Amino acid sequence: MLLVLLALLLGRGAAAQVSVNAYVDKTELGDAETLAYTLEIRGDLAGLGPVEAPDARGLALAHPSPVLQERLAVNGDERLTLRWLYRPQGVGKATVLGATVRVGGRAYRTDPITVEVVPQRLRGSPGAPRSAFQPTPVPPPQAASGELFVRAEPRTLRVVPGQQVVVDYVLYFEPHLRPQRSQVVGTWDAEGFWREELEVPVRDTYARPVTVGGRPYQAVTIRRLALFPTRTGRLELGPMTFDVDLVRSARRDDPSDLFGAFFSRFDEASVTAPPVTLTAEPLPPGAPPSFGGAVGRFALRAFTDLDVVTAGEPVHLTVEIEGEGNVPTLAPPAVEAPPGLDVFPPEEDRMIDRSEAPLSGVRRFTYTLAPRGGGTFEIPALAWSYYDPEAGAYRTLEAGPFTVEATGPAAVLAPESAGAGPSAPLGLIGEASWRRAGEGSATFPAWALGAALALPLLALLGLAALRRRADRRADRSPEALALRAHPEARRRLRAARAAGTGPAVHAAVERAVRDFLADRLGIAAHGLARPALLDALAGAGVTAGTRAGLADLLARCEQAQFAPAAPAADPKATTDEAARLLAAVDEEVRGPWSVVGSRC
């Protein structure tokens, strides 16, 4: 007992280290909104002095006292959470100065935090429905659901297709319980959404006191998802089940008592979060031409790696779209190239940040531009649009224009024909004079021209066929092996016939037969003696006559390879007999990959 008490006292001394952290709920806010400033103090708080709201520049306290004040002890480590609200005093930069906290005669100070205050018209009216970027919390349950329960808490219930919805799965438990670990049971999917898994920050993994239906509970976030609706209408998040390992204290009146650990026991429980319904409304009309389905808040930047190149040398135009929203599915902006400058489809790359909610990241598109000749090429400004659900409006971003100088002779472009109009493609023949065959100068035969034009296409088709054949041969699934067994056996028997005479032919025939049976039946044909192999054939539905023929053929192959005096045999007759027997096996085998009617 003394050793245990000493360990507890030492553990409490190790927890005496104090840390103070501060953060805000947003770094940009409208001049009609409020800023939530949170201060977290952790460690041994026995000597904690009074904590005052920090001063601010450009901001004023909305209330003199904190809107949230939580104090929690977890494994000997105490945590105090305080939250104040500030109102902007104008547009521009605003700063919450560092907070000073004194614990045990020592002062701790946080760094200042600067935010940007913008006109409210740029962020929507304060009373408008908020999106995933300014979440509207779902009301807590009005009735308790026992000593332990879990539920899904989306940050908004009304969205548009493509809008991000952050969903927290929160575990509620009575104070005498201490959850240790939780994991999802089975698979889970939400029809009408695609999803991204988000990390749960450490600050959200600490239990926080709440009141549900008049009863005290602790709450902790155990999973966080970013969901994106793919269609309109009512969409349901299905139930999600968790297995929870926990410690149950027998002293319900004071579970934090020093001796509570001696009256505790480990337990397991299974809890299910009930389904939640969201409503996805259609996007408003009036989308600009450059809108491709992006929903959220984004920034656009673009740049070229070279400004002056030699004709034919590539130039790379990089476009980066950064922000919060459906980053993984963003569409690239259109690049309009002037005549004489070829533009190739972009290479795509993305970097996703799942450490905080909402999901954010960068989508990068790299276009390759190739000038056909010398000259100055002007690329018009890029336009790319997205829908801002917070403001309820479409936004269009622009980057550029860009100029590329190419040295060298200018490319010869065919002039437009008089009747073709401005839409006639460049480089095509604008005029032509028709003559009878044999008149004037010699002409290039039409069939030769057609053959020359067809050669690249035929080469591409041939490469595609070879690639497809290689892919088929690389497929080692049972289905693929069974379907390829008969063609592969014919090829091997042809090779065996060309092996000459004597033991080499019979060794090749035996190997071809056993390879066929292994692929066709999915058995280890090379590792089975003849009796076991015949039993496997019988189980697959091969008739007695075919089994007897195969047994005789394999016996003769073995005798020809290993007997002192190998019998004379015609290689063609041996391979023909093997082909006939394998064709019979292919027809008689019953199974999901039967190829009825095939012949060697």
Side-chain angles (χ1 to χ4, degrees):
M1 180 67 73
L2 290 175
L3 289 176
V4 172
L5 289 175
L6 180 61
L8 291 174
L9 292 175
L10 290 176
R12 185 172 181 84
Q17 184 177 0
V18 175
S19 64
V20 181
N21 298 287
Y23 57 89
V24 294
D25 65 335
K26 52 178 110 36
T27 57
E28 180 184 282
L29 70 156
D31 55 6
E33 296 178 322
T34 57
L35 179 73
Y37 177 90
T38 303
L39 188 66
E40 287 186 350
I41 310 168
R42 295 179 181 175
D44 185 358
L45 306 184
L48 177 65
V51 181
E52 302 292 339
D55 294 332
R57 295 174 182 171
L59 299 166
L61 269 176
H63 303 283
S65 58
V67 296
L68 173 67
Q69 185 168 349
E70 296 178 346
R71 188 158 184 168
L72 179 67
V74 179
N75 297 329
D77 182 25
E78 293 181 277
R79 184 187 67 174
L80 175 63
T81 303
L82 302 168
R83 182 172 299 152
W84 293 272
L85 296 181
Y86 291 83
R87 295 191 183 278
Q89 294 180 312
V91 174
K93 299 282 187 184
T95 303
V96 181
L97 302 180
T100 300
V101 178
R102 295 187 178 276
V103 182
R106 183 177 177 181
Y108 300 85
R109 187 172 180 82
T110 64
D111 294 330
I113 299 178
T114 300
V115 298
E116 184 76 22
V117 181
V118 299
Q120 190 63 47
R121 65 177 182 275
L122 300 181
R123 294 180 59 84
S125 61
R130 299 186 174 206
S131 68
F133 308 104
Q134 294 294 326
T136 300
V138 177
Q142 297 301 314
S145 301
E147 64 177 7
L148 180 75
F149 63 95
V150 65
R151 69 190 189 103
E153 298 182 357
R155 300 191 181 182
T156 184
L157 296 175
R158 305 189 73 86
V159 292
V160 297
Q163 180 180 345
Q164 180 174 185
V165 184
V166 177
V167 182
D168 288 330
Y169 282 83
V170 181
L171 183 68
Y172 294 86
F173 52 95
E174 290 186 348
H176 70 282
L177 301 178
R178 295 198 304 275
Q180 304 294 310
R181 185 181 64 89
S182 65
Q183 64 178 3
V184 179
V185 179
T187 60
W188 180 86
D189 200 2
E191 185 178 356
F193 294 92
W194 63 270
R195 75 173 188 239
E196 294 281 348
E197 197 85 21
L198 297 179
E199 301 175 12
V200 180
V202 175
R203 63 176 180 269
D204 293 336
T205 60
Y206 284 89
R208 52 192 181 271
V210 296
T211 301
V212 181
R215 294 170 56 181
Y217 281 90
Q218 300 286 318
V220 62
T221 302
I222 58 177
R223 193 176 188 186
R224 179 169 289 167
L225 300 174
L227 302 180
F228 300 83
T230 59
R231 56 180 173 84
T232 59
R234 292 173 60 84
L235 305 175
E236 182 178 280
L237 306 182
M240 186 182 296
T241 301
F242 297 84
D243 280 346
V244 182
D245 297 337
L246 51 88
V247 176
R248 184 184 299 274
S249 173
R251 298 173 63 102
R252 301 173 66 100
D253 54 342
D254 187 10
S256 62
D257 179 49
L258 180 63
F259 298 94
F262 298 102
F263 302 95
S264 301
R265 61 183 176 88
F266 289 96
D267 199 357
E268 297 179 354
S270 179
V271 289
T272 300
V276 177
T277 301
L278 283 74
T279 302
E281 300 173 344
L283 286 164
S290 55
F291 176 70
V295 180
R297 295 180 64 199
F298 301 96
L300 173 71
R301 56 181 174 268
F303 52 89
T304 56
D305 61 342
L306 297 172
D307 295 329
V308 180
V309 296
T310 304
E313 183 181 357
V315 178
H316 296 105
L317 171 62
T318 301
V319 180
E320 293 183 347
I321 303 172
E322 181 178 5
E324 300 173 347
N326 53 346
V327 177
T329 61
L330 297 182
V335 176
E336 299 179 5
L341 184 67
D342 295 328
V343 180
F344 297 91
E347 297 182 0
E348 302 183 11
D349 189 18
R350 67 181 185 182
M351 295 174 288
I352 305 299
D353 183 8
R354 296 180 173 84
S355 61
E356 291 288 347
L359 180 82
S360 62
V362 180
R363 194 74 185 269
R364 181 181 295 111
F365 304 95
T366 303
Y367 300 80
T368 299
L369 316 176
R372 293 184 230 161
T376 301
F377 301 92
E378 298 287 345
I379 304 172
L382 309 180
W384 186 84
S385 301
Y386 67 94
Y387 178 72
D388 185 347
E390 183 179 345
Y394 292 97
R395 309 286 193 194
T396 299
L397 306 176
E398 291 188 353
F402 308 93
T403 301
V404 175
E405 295 282 350
T407 60
V412 178
L413 302 176
E416 298 178 358
S417 61
S423 61
L426 296 172
L428 298 181
I429 298 175
E431 296 181 359
S433 58
W434 297 91
R435 302 181 181 181
R436 293 180 181 275
E439 292 183 356
S441 59
T443 59
F444 192 72
W447 63 268
L449 178 61
L453 294 175
L455 282 177
L457 177 60
L458 293 176
L460 289 175
L461 292 176
L463 289 175
L466 291 175
R467 177 63 181 271
R468 184 177 179 185
R469 180 180 179 184
D471 291 342
R472 287 200 304 267
R473 295 181 67 85
D475 189 357
R476 302 295 297 173
S477 63
E479 300 93 330
L481 291 174
L483 292 174
R484 290 201 309 264
H486 211 171
E488 289 291 331
R490 292 198 299 269
R491 183 183 61 79
R492 291 169 181 146
L493 289 176
R494 286 196 297 269
R497 185 179 301 175
T501 59
V505 175
H506 292 84
V509 169
E510 181 184 10
R511 187 164 52 252
V513 170
R514 287 186 178 270
D515 285 344
F516 168 81
L517 297 177
D519 292 343
R520 189 69 179 84
L521 303 179
I523 61 175
H526 287 281
L528 295 178
R530 277 204 311 277
L533 181 61
L534 295 176
D535 290 342
L537 293 175
V542 179
T543 61
T546 303
R547 297 200 305 273
L550 284 172
D552 180 65
L553 175 65
L554 293 175
R556 284 188 280 115
C557 287
E558 292 177 2
Q559 184 182 8
Q561 294 177 73
F562 307 110
D570 181 10
K572 183 177 184 304
T574 302
T575 55
D576 288 347
E577 181 183 1
R580 178 183 61 80
L581 290 171
L582 297 188
V585 172
D586 195 51
E587 287 188 354
E588 295 170 3
V589 166
R590 300 292 182 264
W593 309 298
S594 296
V595 184
V596 179
S598 58
R599 294 285 190 271
C600 275

mmCIF file of all heavy atoms in Angstrom, residues 64 113 151 184 207 214 245 252 258 333 387 398 403 411 433 536 544 580:
data_model
loop_
_atom_site.group_PDB
_atom_site.id
_atom_site.type_symbol
_atom_site.label_atom_id
_atom_site.label_comp_id
_atom_site.label_asym_id
_atom_site.label_seq_id
_atom_site.Cartn_x
_atom_site.Cartn_y
_atom_site.Cartn_z
ATOM 1 N N PRO A 64 -18.189 40.563 -19.868
ATOM 2 C CA PRO A 64 -17.039 40.660 -18.962
ATOM 3 C C PRO A 64 -16.598 39.318 -18.400
ATOM 4 O O PRO A 64 -15.437 39.143 -18.046
ATOM 5 C CB PRO A 64 -17.535 41.595 -17.853
ATOM 6 C CG PRO A 64 -19.026 41.497 -17.906
ATOM 7 C CD PRO A 64 -19.374 41.246 -19.336
ATOM 8 N N ILE A 113 -2.648 36.838 -30.912
ATOM 9 C CA ILE A 113 -3.300 36.224 -32.071
ATOM 10 C C ILE A 113 -3.933 37.334 -32.891
ATOM 11 O O ILE A 113 -4.736 38.129 -32.373
ATOM 12 C CB ILE A 113 -4.366 35.202 -31.643
ATOM 13 C CG1 ILE A 113 -3.714 34.073 -30.824
ATOM 14 C CG2 ILE A 113 -5.080 34.633 -32.857
ATOM 15 C CD1 ILE A 113 -4.702 33.048 -30.319
ATOM 16 N N ARG A 151 -23.500 9.524 -30.281
ATOM 17 C CA ARG A 151 -24.353 10.059 -31.329
ATOM 18 C C ARG A 151 -23.524 10.866 -32.326
ATOM 19 O O ARG A 151 -22.427 11.348 -32.014
ATOM 20 C CB ARG A 151 -25.472 10.926 -30.748
ATOM 21 C CG ARG A 151 -25.016 12.226 -30.135
ATOM 22 C CD ARG A 151 -26.146 12.904 -29.380
ATOM 23 N NE ARG A 151 -25.760 14.253 -28.976
ATOM 24 C CZ ARG A 151 -26.177 15.359 -29.596
ATOM 25 N NH1 ARG A 151 -26.989 15.268 -30.622
ATOM 26 N NH2 ARG A 151 -25.789 16.545 -29.189
ATOM 27 N N VAL A 184 -14.629 1.283 -34.339
ATOM 28 C CA VAL A 184 -15.838 1.066 -35.126
ATOM 29 C C VAL A 184 -16.003 -0.414 -35.407
ATOM 30 O O VAL A 184 -15.024 -1.114 -35.708
ATOM 31 C CB VAL A 184 -15.773 1.868 -36.439
ATOM 32 C CG1 VAL A 184 -17.014 1.622 -37.278
ATOM 33 C CG2 VAL A 184 -15.621 3.340 -36.148
ATOM 34 N N ALA A 207 -11.996 14.578 -21.982
ATOM 35 C CA ALA A 207 -13.402 14.578 -21.602
ATOM 36 C C ALA A 207 -13.807 15.949 -21.078
ATOM 37 O O ALA A 207 -13.035 16.625 -20.400
ATOM 38 C CB ALA A 207 -13.663 13.511 -20.539
ATOM 39 N N GLY A 214 -30.743 16.989 -17.658
ATOM 40 C CA GLY A 214 -30.627 17.255 -16.236
ATOM 41 C C GLY A 214 -29.652 16.363 -15.507
ATOM 42 O O GLY A 214 -29.467 16.511 -14.294
ATOM 43 N N ASP A 245 -13.931 -0.079 -24.694
ATOM 44 C CA ASP A 245 -13.308 -0.637 -23.488
ATOM 45 C C ASP A 245 -13.269 0.466 -22.435
ATOM 46 O O ASP A 245 -12.819 1.586 -22.726
ATOM 47 C CB ASP A 245 -11.884 -1.116 -23.784
ATOM 48 C CG ASP A 245 -11.859 -2.247 -24.801
ATOM 49 O OD1 ASP A 245 -12.885 -2.924 -24.944
ATOM 50 O OD2 ASP A 245 -10.816 -2.430 -25.454
ATOM 51 N N ARG A 252 -19.645 5.375 -7.195
ATOM 52 C CA ARG A 252 -20.313 6.311 -8.081
ATOM 53 C C ARG A 252 -20.398 7.707 -7.476
ATOM 54 O O ARG A 252 -20.518 8.698 -8.198
ATOM 55 C CB ARG A 252 -21.730 5.808 -8.411
ATOM 56 C CG ARG A 252 -21.766 4.450 -9.068
ATOM 57 C CD ARG A 252 -23.193 3.955 -9.202
ATOM 58 N NE ARG A 252 -23.958 4.791 -10.114
ATOM 59 C CZ ARG A 252 -24.219 4.478 -11.385
ATOM 60 N NH1 ARG A 252 -23.735 3.343 -11.880
ATOM 61 N NH2 ARG A 252 -24.924 5.261 -12.150
ATOM 62 N N LEU A 258 -8.985 9.149 -4.425
ATOM 63 C CA LEU A 258 -7.652 8.570 -4.560
ATOM 64 C C LEU A 258 -7.695 7.053 -4.521
ATOM 65 O O LEU A 258 -6.909 6.379 -5.182
ATOM 66 C CB LEU A 258 -6.754 9.115 -3.447
ATOM 67 C CG LEU A 258 -5.295 8.623 -3.424
ATOM 68 C CD1 LEU A 258 -4.583 9.071 -4.693
ATOM 69 C CD2 LEU A 258 -4.585 9.131 -2.184
ATOM 70 N N PRO A 333 -8.969 24.918 -64.141
ATOM 71 C CA PRO A 333 -9.460 26.012 -64.978
ATOM 72 C C PRO A 333 -9.070 25.795 -66.434
ATOM 73 O O PRO A 333 -8.097 25.092 -66.745
ATOM 74 C CB PRO A 333 -8.752 27.242 -64.381
ATOM 75 C CG PRO A 333 -7.521 26.691 -63.752
ATOM 76 C CD PRO A 333 -7.856 25.323 -63.264
ATOM 77 N N TYR A 387 -18.645 28.242 -55.415
ATOM 78 C CA TYR A 387 -19.819 28.713 -54.669
ATOM 79 C C TYR A 387 -19.447 28.804 -53.202
ATOM 80 O O TYR A 387 -18.943 27.848 -52.603
ATOM 81 C CB TYR A 387 -20.983 27.746 -54.856
ATOM 82 C CG TYR A 387 -22.219 28.153 -54.076
ATOM 83 C CD1 TYR A 387 -22.992 29.248 -54.468
ATOM 84 C CD2 TYR A 387 -22.605 27.458 -52.928
ATOM 85 C CE1 TYR A 387 -24.113 29.629 -53.738
ATOM 86 C CE2 TYR A 387 -23.723 27.829 -52.204
ATOM 87 C CZ TYR A 387 -24.470 28.921 -52.620
ATOM 88 O OH TYR A 387 -25.581 29.299 -51.897
ATOM 89 N N GLU A 398 -9.454 35.163 -60.646
ATOM 90 C CA GLU A 398 -8.684 35.308 -61.883
ATOM 91 C C GLU A 398 -7.199 35.343 -61.562
ATOM 92 O O GLU A 398 -6.788 35.798 -60.483
ATOM 93 C CB GLU A 398 -9.088 36.566 -62.648
ATOM 94 C CG GLU A 398 -10.485 36.508 -63.245
ATOM 95 C CD GLU A 398 -10.769 37.682 -64.160
ATOM 96 O OE1 GLU A 398 -9.920 38.599 -64.213
ATOM 97 O OE2 GLU A 398 -11.817 37.686 -64.821
ATOM 98 N N THR A 403 2.602 36.065 -70.486
ATOM 99 C CA THR A 403 3.280 36.289 -71.769
ATOM 100 C C THR A 403 4.459 35.337 -71.878
ATOM 101 O O THR A 403 5.249 35.205 -70.928
ATOM 102 C CB THR A 403 3.770 37.743 -71.883
ATOM 103 O OG1 THR A 403 2.651 38.625 -71.772
ATOM 104 C CG2 THR A 403 4.453 37.975 -73.226
ATOM 105 N N ALA A 411 6.296 30.245 -86.706
ATOM 106 C CA ALA A 411 5.613 29.099 -87.304
ATOM 107 C C ALA A 411 4.761 29.560 -88.472
ATOM 108 O O ALA A 411 4.154 30.630 -88.431
ATOM 109 C CB ALA A 411 4.740 28.391 -86.260
ATOM 110 N N SER A 433 -7.002 23.272 -105.952
ATOM 111 C CA SER A 433 -7.406 23.201 -107.359
ATOM 112 C C SER A 433 -7.444 21.745 -107.767
ATOM 113 O O SER A 433 -6.493 20.996 -107.528
ATOM 114 C CB SER A 433 -6.403 23.976 -108.236
ATOM 115 O OG SER A 433 -5.101 23.447 -108.071
ATOM 116 N N ALA A 536 -8.438 -36.019 -57.387
ATOM 117 C CA ALA A 536 -8.836 -34.627 -57.593
ATOM 118 C C ALA A 536 -9.607 -34.459 -58.884
ATOM 119 O O ALA A 536 -10.575 -33.701 -58.970
ATOM 120 C CB ALA A 536 -7.596 -33.728 -57.584
ATOM 121 N N ALA A 544 -14.429 -41.381 -65.919
ATOM 122 C CA ALA A 544 -13.464 -42.457 -65.660
ATOM 123 C C ALA A 544 -12.599 -42.723 -66.878
ATOM 124 O O ALA A 544 -11.399 -42.988 -66.750
ATOM 125 C CB ALA A 544 -14.208 -43.722 -65.231
ATOM 126 N N ARG A 580 -5.896 -34.160 -77.006
ATOM 127 C CA ARG A 580 -7.252 -34.719 -76.959
ATOM 128 C C ARG A 580 -7.741 -34.887 -75.527
ATOM 129 O O ARG A 580 -8.883 -34.545 -75.198
ATOM 130 C CB ARG A 580 -7.255 -36.061 -77.691
ATOM 131 C CG ARG A 580 -8.600 -36.787 -77.682
ATOM 132 C CD ARG A 580 -8.509 -38.139 -78.347
ATOM 133 N NE ARG A 580 -7.565 -39.012 -77.659
ATOM 134 C CZ ARG A 580 -7.863 -39.684 -76.543
ATOM 135 N NH1 ARG A 580 -9.061 -39.547 -75.965
ATOM 136 N NH2 ARG A 580 -6.966 -40.463 -75.974
#
